[in-house]
Amino acid sequence: MSQNDSRTTPFDTLLVANRGEIACRVMRTARAMGLRTVAVYSDADANARHVREADEAVRLGPAAARESYLKVEAVVEAAKLTGAGAIHPGYGFLSENGAFVQALDAAGITFVGPPASAIAAMGDKSAAKARMANAGVPLVPGYHGDDQDDALLKSEADKIGYPVLLKASAGGGGKGMRVVEAPEQFQAALDGCRRESQAAFGDTRMLIEKYLTQPRHVEVQVFCDSHGNGVYLFERDCSVQRRHQKVLEEAPAPGMTAELRREMGEAAVRAAKEIGYVGAGTVEFLLDFSQGQDGSFYFMEMNTRLQVEHPVTEMITGQDLVEWQLRVAMGEALPLQQDELTITGHSFEARLYAEDPEQDFLPATGKLERFAMDLKGAGLDPRQVRLDSGVETGDVVSMHYDPMLAKLIVHGDDRDQALSTLNRALAALDVQGVVTNRAFLQRLATHPAFRNVELDTRFIEKNEATLFAPKQYSIEEYAGAALIGLNQLARECESDSPWDRHDGFRLNAPHTIRISLCDPAHVQDEESVVVVEGTRASGADPWDLTIGGETLTARLQHLEGDAVAVTLNGHRRRLQARRDGNVVVMVDPRGETRLFWRRIDAIDHGHHEAESTLTAPMHGTVVALLVEAGQKVEKGMPLMVMEAMKMEHTMTAPADGHVESFHFNAGDTVGQGDVLLEFAPVE
């Protein structure tokens, strides 16, 4: 039975019909409420974190979502098998599937979400707009009618005035959507939208809206129970988006007045009550502050589920929205009334994805060699930082599902403080083994326009030139990376014998090491190489670094966790630092610096260095073997080629000797630190 049925009774077992971070997050609250938890999984997720954390878990099917997480009958059978009295759908998958809700009603299982009728009412955008107009909710000027004749649609667009937005009536996720700038572009755009809509939704109906050139995306969290109560838990600003997908969210929305907040909140509650809504929902609005506008807002759509960004609302209200969902599903009244809800401070959420922003956000896969957050080293209060994740160190990121790994949520007394905490927390987040958008998130959060609340839904597009500008390294960054690498070398000495040392030791002379530093994506670009000469007297602590003719006295101090203090000519700076193969990673609240570190000494350091230089600097693929096993080679002779980080890297002989054996063949995938071949130097 659905949760708005007056016969709904409490349950003691909850099945979470989802995966990843939202499954883990829902189960966390369920366990705190004393409920037994059941996970479901596909073959690709058999060892996933949400499976490990549940009391029970049931296999649904193969990796493909349509054969597992989207298979209604399999989820219902899993609930029956485990005695689950209720199912929480999370977001995505079956969360807004009316047929799924009806199947649960028929099976006598409580759906932690709205009734099927409410989902249907908001699923058809044209019909939903008509319902919203009846409820007195402001709408963007447009056409939402049933007559889909091409000539009529064109005349309606002409009446509205260009630019207009064509949207698939049954659409979502940016599919079947185009901006039309001028009348002569209309027919081609209409044809394209219809093709996309037919392919994605099996429906060609379109609606037309006035296109707002600089709108902000502001949504209101609403909650209704089965007793007729409804409240709004204030708003979230989700304007920073990429291809209609949110990247950074915050609550409350900057620049809101108490009157505008009340107007939007009350309109959102009216929208929910118009369709008989029960549970957690989000009413999305376009807010127009452009061209002298004083904050006109227009209904966009309603998401009939819990939102990805719900934690920022939890942070500013002190409420657990999943607990509210479960209590309402048990038939209880809302925990609080409108006048009992208040806003405290400010919160941000950043979505961490396994994707490469430098390669058009191509999704990334692989094994997470490390997934951690060093709060202590970053000097952060754990009460102000929350990491909702579905992965841990050692987990494998699959290609089968959404690439979101985690959500980083922070809180502060005001927006400036919360933003500062977000930057420090992003710096403290250490993810190795899989490419992520962490550095891109930090560039967003430190961008002057974002700090100054110059927000609209085209923020990333408008600031693309600065967000993706080539990295320009300072002498301080080169020095810091050199120092971290040099200190690592000093710790790798394996004996007191001078013949075993590879930290630049010289008899009766200062230690001397020559290295190059460059952008990891341009290792073969000689113009990017900076030679760093480091010397220090035996037993002395500071290094003398010479970079481009300038000499710096440098010192490194290890602090808590990954935190270090780098002192250059008396200027001390705290940052997070780590080695990712041959790449030195340095992060502070201003951003991330990654530099490829390589020794270019002319001295033969013997067998130990030979081993260290013939390991994979990062995850990649062997492209070619250039010599045969057993072949004698001279120092500097190319031995093999591997591709990593979209670049080819040639591994050369570190000394005169011979290759005893190769551990990999052309085409093999190698992991960071893997020994590529056995090399025997001339004794």
Side-chain angles (χ1 to χ4, degrees):
M1 64 188 73
S2 61
Q3 69 171 31
N4 64 320
D5 193 310
S6 60
R7 297 171 296 163
T8 299
T9 57
F11 43 84
D12 59 14
T13 301
L14 177 72
L15 184 148
V16 183
N18 218 298
R19 64 178 302 280
E21 67 84 17
I22 188 58
C24 295
R25 187 265 170 276
V26 170
M27 288 192 290
R28 184 170 66 244
T29 289
R31 287 194 299 270
M33 294 176 65
L35 300 176
R36 193 165 59 93
T37 58
V38 178
V40 289
Y41 63 92
S42 70
D43 289 344
D45 279 342
N47 298 311
R49 181 178 177 180
H50 76 281
V51 175
R52 300 194 298 265
E53 293 187 353
D55 295 313
E56 294 185 49
V58 179
R59 176 184 179 272
L60 294 178
R66 65 180 178 278
E67 298 179 48
S68 53
Y69 294 106
L70 291 173
K71 205 168 180 180
V72 171
E73 60 274 19
V75 175
V76 174
E77 285 304 312
K80 292 178 179 178
L81 175 67
T82 57
I87 290 181
H88 194 301
Y91 49 74
F93 292 138
L94 297 171
S95 62
E96 296 180 280
N97 187 313
F100 178 53
V101 179
Q102 292 172 341
L104 296 186
D105 285 347
I109 299 169
T110 297
F111 177 67
V112 184
S117 58
I119 294 175
M122 285 300 178
D124 185 317
K125 288 183 170 55
S126 292
K129 301 261 185 196
R131 295 284 295 271
M132 294 304 98
N134 292 336
V137 180
L139 300 178
V140 177
Y143 174 75
H144 316 113
D146 293 329
D147 191 336
Q148 294 288 300
D149 178 74
D150 286 14
L152 176 69
L153 293 177
K154 172 66 164 52
S155 67
E156 291 294 335
D158 293 342
K159 290 178 188 176
I160 295 166
Y162 296 89
V164 299
L165 181 66
L166 273 171
K167 295 172 66 175
S169 181
K175 295 182 178 66
M177 182 183 299
R178 279 181 177 57
V179 176
V180 186
E181 300 284 355
E184 58 272 17
Q185 301 171 2
F186 184 85
Q187 189 61 49
L190 177 62
D191 293 342
C193 283
R194 280 180 167 159
R195 286 193 298 269
E196 284 184 13
S197 183
Q198 177 63 38
F201 315 113
D203 191 324
T204 61
R205 292 173 302 145
M206 306 302 298
L207 56 84
I208 308 171
E209 293 178 347
K210 177 66 179 175
Y211 181 67
L212 305 179
T213 57
Q214 292 182 312
R216 284 169 57 183
H217 181 138
V218 175
E219 60 189 30
V220 176
Q221 176 71 60
V222 295
F223 236 107
C224 299
D225 61 26
S226 56
H227 305 279
N229 301 308
V231 299
Y232 60 91
L233 288 89
F234 314 111
E235 79 287 342
R236 302 181 284 256
D237 193 305
C238 309
S239 298
V240 181
Q241 304 178 6
R242 185 183 64 82
R243 298 172 186 163
H244 305 288
Q245 297 296 314
K246 301 162 188 173
V247 180
L248 283 176
E249 300 101 350
E250 61 183 297
M256 292 286 285
T257 63
E259 181 181 5
L260 182 56
R261 175 173 291 123
R262 178 183 55 77
E263 290 178 0
M264 292 182 71
E266 291 178 352
V269 172
R270 288 199 305 274
K273 289 189 173 183
E274 169 68 21
I275 60 170
Y277 201 81
V278 176
T282 299
V283 182
E284 299 189 341
F285 294 101
L286 292 176
L287 179 61
D288 191 2
F289 278 130
S290 64
Q291 298 177 347
Q293 294 291 324
D294 56 357
S296 299
F297 62 93
Y298 308 98
F299 173 83
M300 185 164 53
E301 62 184 1
M302 182 176 186
N303 290 302
T304 53
R305 54 172 167 77
L306 192 69
Q307 291 282 87
V308 177
E309 58 273 19
H310 76 275
V312 293
T313 296
E314 295 182 322
M315 290 291 239
I316 65 167
T317 61
Q319 304 302 313
D320 184 330
L321 298 190
V322 173
E323 180 178 349
W324 277 45
Q325 283 187 296
L326 295 174
R327 294 199 178 283
V328 168
M330 291 176 178
E332 297 181 18
L334 293 179
L336 297 174
Q337 297 302 309
Q338 192 65 60
D339 59 2
E340 298 176 291
L341 291 164
T342 57
I343 295 175
T344 301
H346 202 94
S347 179
F348 286 96
E349 175 181 289
R351 302 188 187 189
L352 182 72
Y353 283 95
E355 63 183 12
D356 188 352
E358 308 305 323
Q359 300 294 326
D360 197 27
F361 296 90
L362 185 71
T365 59
K367 182 179 180 180
L368 286 167
E369 302 294 344
R370 180 170 165 82
F371 186 84
M373 176 175 284
D374 182 17
L375 294 179
K376 184 176 180 181
L380 290 165
D381 183 344
R383 294 171 298 181
Q384 303 299 317
V385 181
R386 167 177 162 183
L387 185 65
D388 284 10
S389 78
V391 294
E392 296 175 315
T393 297
D395 285 348
V396 175
V397 179
S398 163
M399 65 179 181
H400 297 290
Y401 312 112
D402 184 277
M404 188 168 71
L405 301 177
K407 302 179 308 196
L408 177 62
I409 310 104
V410 302
H411 184 267
D413 291 341
D414 53 33
R415 189 177 191 269
D416 288 344
Q417 186 185 90
L419 190 54
S420 175
T421 300
L422 175 64
N423 289 324
R424 296 181 72 87
L426 283 167
L429 190 57
D430 182 4
V431 185
Q432 297 179 28
V434 177
V435 178
T436 74
N437 66 333
R438 193 203 60 75
F440 175 69
L441 291 171
Q442 199 164 16
R443 292 200 298 272
L444 279 173
T446 56
H447 197 282
F450 186 77
R451 294 160 75 99
N452 295 332
V453 200
E454 297 170 14
L455 303 175
D456 64 57
T457 54
R458 296 176 60 243
F459 180 88
I460 293 177
E461 179 184 346
K462 289 165 63 174
N463 294 285
E464 184 174 6
T466 50
L467 287 171
F468 293 95
K471 174 72 174 178
Q472 300 295 320
Y473 300 98
S474 67
I475 192 170
E476 289 78 12
E477 289 172 317
Y478 282 122
L483 194 62
I484 291 162
L486 291 169
N487 275 266
Q488 178 70 24
L489 276 181
R491 294 199 302 272
E492 289 176 354
C493 294
E494 299 179 8
S495 76
D496 293 329
S497 168
W499 310 113
D500 289 335
R501 299 177 69 103
H502 51 278
D503 61 347
F505 174 82
R506 301 289 184 281
L507 186 64
N508 298 321
H511 296 213
T512 301
I513 293 177
R514 299 181 70 239
I515 62 176
S516 69
L517 293 161
C518 61
D519 188 321
H522 301 90
V523 172
Q524 295 177 333
D525 183 357
E526 290 301 322
E527 293 183 0
S528 68
V529 175
V530 173
V531 176
V532 178
E533 293 185 295
T535 64
R536 69 179 181 184
S538 179
D541 184 44
W543 288 84
D544 291 328
L545 303 181
T546 301
I547 305 174
E550 182 174 347
T551 299
L552 304 167
T553 300
R555 187 188 303 266
L556 182 79
Q557 179 185 2
H558 291 274
L559 305 174
E560 309 92 346
D562 292 331
V564 299
V566 172
T567 303
L568 302 174
N569 287 349
H571 182 191
R572 184 180 185 274
R573 186 163 64 95
R574 180 190 179 104
L575 53 113
Q576 306 286 117
R578 54 188 176 270
R579 290 278 298 275
D580 189 355
N582 279 21
V583 176
V584 174
V585 184
M586 300 179 294
V587 192
D588 67 14
R590 296 177 297 180
E592 177 186 89
T593 299
R594 299 174 66 90
L595 282 164
F596 188 85
W597 192 99
R598 183 171 62 89
R599 291 190 67 172
I600 53 175
D601 300 273
I603 301 298
D604 178 3
H605 293 283
H607 185 68
H608 292 296
E609 183 165 340
E611 291 181 342
S612 69
T613 55
L614 297 176
T615 59
M618 56 199 78
H619 296 273
T621 303
V622 175
V623 175
L625 307 182
L626 304 179
V627 299
E628 295 181 358
Q631 180 177 337
K632 291 184 179 181
V633 298
E634 297 179 352
K635 180 180 177 180
M637 184 174 177
L639 304 179
M640 65 187 300
V641 179
M642 66 170 291
E643 183 181 57
M645 297 183 74
K646 313 290 190 301
M647 294 293 295
E648 286 192 353
H649 302 269
T650 301
M651 315 303 292
T652 60
D656 294 345
H658 70 276
V659 176
E660 293 185 332
S661 63
F662 287 99
H663 291 185
F664 299 93
N665 295 313
D668 289 348
T669 300
V670 299
Q672 173 194 322
D674 286 350
V675 178
L676 300 173
L677 56 89
E678 295 295 332
F679 182 82
V682 175
E683 298 295 339

